[in-house]
Amino acid sequence: MELHYDVVVVGAGIAGPILSRNLAKKGYSVLMIDKKAEIGTPKRCGEGLGIEAFKKYDIPLDRRFINREIYGAAIYSPSGYRLEIRYDRVAGVILERKIFDKMLAYYAAKAGADVMAKTEAVGLIRKEGKIAGVKAKHEGEPLEIYADVIVAADGVESRVARWAGINSFLPPHEIDSAYEYEMIIENFEFDPDLIHLYFGNNIAPRGYVWIFPKDEDRANVGIGINGDNPKTAKYYLEKWLKENNIKGTKILEVNVGGVPVGGFLKELVKDNVVVVGDAARQVNPMHGGGMAEAMEAATIASKWIDKALSEENLELLKGYTEEWWAGEGQKLLRILKVRQISEKLSDDELDAAVQALSGADAEKIAAGDYKEVFKALIKHPRILLKPKM
Ligand code: FAD
């Protein structure tokens, strides 16, 4: 079968549906494909999303995909110092991503985009030396999708960018290994209105253990560690559960995945191929969250795809690379620097940093305000003077 569209989007996670919806709203013919038989399932995510994303990216706050409202975070140092950041407003939500992703695809379809589940991109179509579309398999049957613009929204394991000749190789150090249980937590105190983050070199090297509550006694309990660690993320998570007397006997779901935490793609566009989200490594390197970052990239990319198609000048696609790198890219680079300092800290220094940060503006720190971190840590010069990477 042969199909023709203005834009074909590979991947219906977060970036794909936002971008498809935006372009369909502008009147372009858009086809979004995903290899999953059911969009959103299985998921690989802690499901935490800041509340501001809903308004910013025009997503309805629909009870169907919101498990729980969250009012802040509690951060624990290796020795158990606790830094609590609590707001008197909803700060974020724990989603049900299986429904969220499907609903995002529904919004894209309602805006006019076509959506095909169980359709896997297997290569690119080239005509007279130019990329002309995507070769796919729909329910096992070959499918050729011709389009002016091809969008790689195919996640951390992206192949589309590579097929187009973009070097998206990530060294293991630039990736976190993540492992997560959705589980019932018994005999362990946690405030279900907050997310809980546990730091320590023996707890989660370079990363942290998280509890993202979905209920008063049910949560995503996960861990991210440096991908080049000789031990596995599962090992560290099991160890932490055991040390905290949390029985791993009521596990509802197991999630395993890689999270790019650095190595943002320099080249976000090659000819008529545009790369967004995890495929472009557009993830916050400090906490590993990538949903809001994928939405931001999709918003910028859809603006430039609209410009390029309306002015019939595909060179304009490069505006996406420039705009992303001038704003979001610089912000993520600053956050990466903070991460590079924090990953060198000993447990004693992590204790001192958590104590020092309790006086700092948490919202500024979360937004990657390097100066705010510096101000808080100036009392601990040995932390600031740590050698960088
Ligand atoms: P994805 O959501 O990965 O979507 C890519 C889609 O492309 C998938 O649906 C896939 O099936 C499809 N696809 C891939 N290849 C093909 C192909 N060849 N053909 C067709 N379809 C294809 N982020 C947060 O913000 N908050 C969190 O709490 C959080 N927790 C996380 C916990 C874990 C364990 C992990 C692994 C990640 C977590 N993240 C979190 C990161 C977040 O999940 C990603 O950053 C986000 O999903 C990126 O969106 P995306 O659209 O770029 O990619």
Side-chain angles (χ1 to χ4, degrees):
M1 191 164 56
E2 199 179 293
L3 298 170
H4 292 261
Y5 285 87
D6 294 326
V7 183
V8 58
V9 178
V10 181
I14 302 291
I18 297 284
L19 185 141
S20 301
R21 179 202 64 185
N22 292 357
L23 288 170
K25 270 191 190 165
K26 290 271 176 194
Y28 297 104
S29 63
V30 180
L31 172 63
M32 176 170 69
I33 64 170
D34 201 294
K35 64 183 178 186
K36 289 177 180 166
E38 182 177 1
I39 288 173
T41 305
K43 66 116 168 79
R44 283 186 293 189
C45 194
E47 308 183 288
L49 181 62
I51 197 72
E52 59 287 343
F54 291 88
K55 195 163 175 217
K56 191 167 180 197
Y57 304 109
D58 194 21
I59 301 165
L61 270 164
D62 191 322
R63 297 300 319 172
R64 281 173 288 188
F65 50 67
I66 294 174
N67 271 296
R68 199 168 180 85
E69 289 170 339
I70 295 293
Y71 290 84
I75 294 167
Y76 304 83
S77 79
S79 304
Y81 292 107
R82 187 172 187 272
L83 163 63
E84 182 176 303
I85 306 154
R86 189 188 290 267
Y87 302 95
D88 52 9
R89 57 171 170 85
V90 174
V93 295
I94 306 302
L95 295 165
E96 190 60 47
R97 260 204 77 177
K98 288 172 199 150
I99 303 175
F100 187 60
D101 288 19
K102 198 190 269 185
M103 292 294 281
L104 291 184
Y106 164 62
Y107 303 142
K110 269 181 43 135
D114 286 344
V115 180
M116 286 173 91
K118 213 173 176 186
T119 304
E120 181 173 7
V122 293
L124 293 176
I125 305 168
R126 289 177 197 270
K127 289 261 149 99
E128 293 156 12
K130 289 194 175 140
I131 297 169
V134 169
K135 283 185 206 158
K137 275 203 171 159
H138 173 62
E139 300 203 41
E141 294 295 317
L143 174 67
E144 292 201 331
I145 308 156
Y146 288 85
D148 295 329
V149 176
I150 293 100
V151 178
D154 50 342
V156 64
E157 285 137 21
S158 175
R159 288 182 296 160
V160 176
R162 221 173 335 123
W163 293 331
I166 295 174
N167 180 9
S168 58
F169 172 75
L170 262 186
H173 190 73
E174 304 283 8
I175 197 154
D176 269 3
S177 301
Y179 196 86
E180 178 185 80
Y181 293 137
E182 181 180 327
M183 64 189 291
I184 310 288
I185 304 181
E186 289 168 329
N187 306 319
F188 181 83
E189 290 278 315
F190 70 98
D191 181 338
D193 291 338
L194 303 176
I195 57 166
H196 302 266
L197 312 175
Y198 300 83
F199 289 86
N201 291 307
N202 289 316
I203 294 173
R206 206 210 16 221
Y208 57 92
V209 167
W210 65 81
I211 296 181
F212 283 7
K214 292 182 95 165
D215 247 320
E216 305 221 327
D217 59 354
R218 180 172 64 105
N220 288 328
V221 183
I223 189 168
I225 65 162
N226 55 315
D228 50 359
N229 195 296
K231 295 207 169 87
T232 63
K234 181 175 192 289
Y235 164 84
Y236 281 103
L237 183 61
E238 295 286 357
K239 178 164 118 24
W240 185 83
L241 290 172
K242 205 168 165 201
E243 284 167 4
N244 287 282
N245 296 318
I246 302 174
K247 273 202 208 151
T249 50
K250 292 187 180 171
I251 292 170
L252 309 176
E253 190 171 324
V254 180
N255 282 204
V256 188
V259 181
V261 285
F264 320 115
L265 277 200
K266 295 228 160 20
E267 205 180 6
L268 298 171
V269 173
K270 179 102 191 250
D271 304 323
N272 54 348
V273 177
V274 172
V275 194
V276 282
D278 272 18
R281 294 34 176 129
Q282 290 159 324
V283 172
N284 182 313
M286 191 73 199
H287 58 58
M291 282 192 275
E293 290 70 13
M295 291 173 188
E296 179 65 17
T299 304
I300 301 171
S302 50
K303 186 177 102 185
W304 287 96
I305 294 172
D306 174 28
K307 261 187 198 293
L309 289 176
S310 62
E311 294 181 32
E312 296 183 10
N313 178 4
L314 292 178
E315 276 294 306
L316 290 174
L317 291 174
K318 295 203 173 96
Y320 158 51
T321 305
E322 282 159 27
E323 185 176 336
W324 188 86
W325 268 108
E328 186 77 353
Q330 292 310 305
K331 184 183 99 185
L332 293 186
L333 277 180
R334 283 196 299 276
I335 295 174
L336 181 61
K337 276 189 196 145
V338 176
R339 214 274 327 275
Q340 284 168 342
I341 294 174
S342 68
E343 72 178 88
K344 297 277 175 197
L345 300 183
S346 67
D347 278 0
D348 283 351
E349 289 163 335
L350 278 169
D351 280 339
V354 166
Q355 285 175 291
L357 287 172
S358 56
D361 185 327
E363 256 179 303
K364 282 191 184 164
I365 291 172
D369 188 331
Y370 201 25
K371 279 191 219 131
E372 190 65 20
V373 178
F374 186 81
K375 235 169 54 192
L377 297 183
I378 193 83
K379 297 168 218 139
H380 298 275
R382 70 198 164 111
I383 296 178
L384 289 174
L385 294 173
K386 270 313 238 199
K388 315 284 179 323
M389 297 288 291

